[in-house]
Amino acid sequence: MRTNLLSNSFSLLFNTNLIKAISPFFFLLIGAPALISEFMPSLFILEYLGGLFLFTILISFLRIYENEDPIIFPEIKIILKKSWKIFVANLISYIIILIGFICLIVPGIILTKRYLYVGIICEKEMTGPLDSMRKSAELSKNNGWDVLLIGIIFGIICLPIILISLMYEGRVFLGFIFDLPGLWISFIGYDLFLFTAYKQALNFKRPSYFK
């Protein structure tokens, strides 16, 4: 299961059709704000705002790609509506997770595992924060701990690329160029990994003695 999850994530990460579809939105929503923040560091928040919209677009593309349909851009109205609901759902779950880490480390880790799929569930079903958190907690029972472990491995594999980009921090255009691979992994790579894990959790069959 762990090997398949990691290999499937990397397979999607280098899928040429997905790269062609998502690259323009990556450069518009992440690349452009990253370049702007090189000149005006106080505007770094634009990257994370762009990441919210990019998440919604990417997950929509992945669902279309999964059904082997032509990849088309979703309606802007739908993207805005979904992005807002995802923001609220993630914000509430992140606050709860943060409280868990502040109280004791272990509760924070457990809550992180429980709420792995809040954003994806909210994007698909357009549910509210509490409903998305409840469904994520149930779904994460299938592979949540595996996902956390593989996420750490995934991060270690990608760490050299991120470190190289940090070496050129502060050098405007050169820093921006070296930032792009790290940003691609941080935003696109993470979202692809999470989507792959989510699909695996949906298809997971528990042994009969767990039912």
Side-chain angles (χ1 to χ4, degrees), residues 53 114 184:
F53 294 121
R114 284 172 60 89
W184 182 272

Side-chain angles (χ1 to χ4, degrees), residues 65-84:
Y65 174 78
E66 187 181 45
N67 295 328
E68 300 183 349
D69 294 328
I71 295 178
I72 57 175
F73 184 71
E75 292 182 19
I76 294 179
K77 183 178 179 180
I78 294 175
I79 291 174
L80 293 174
K81 186 176 181 180
K82 285 188 173 184
S83 296
W84 172 249

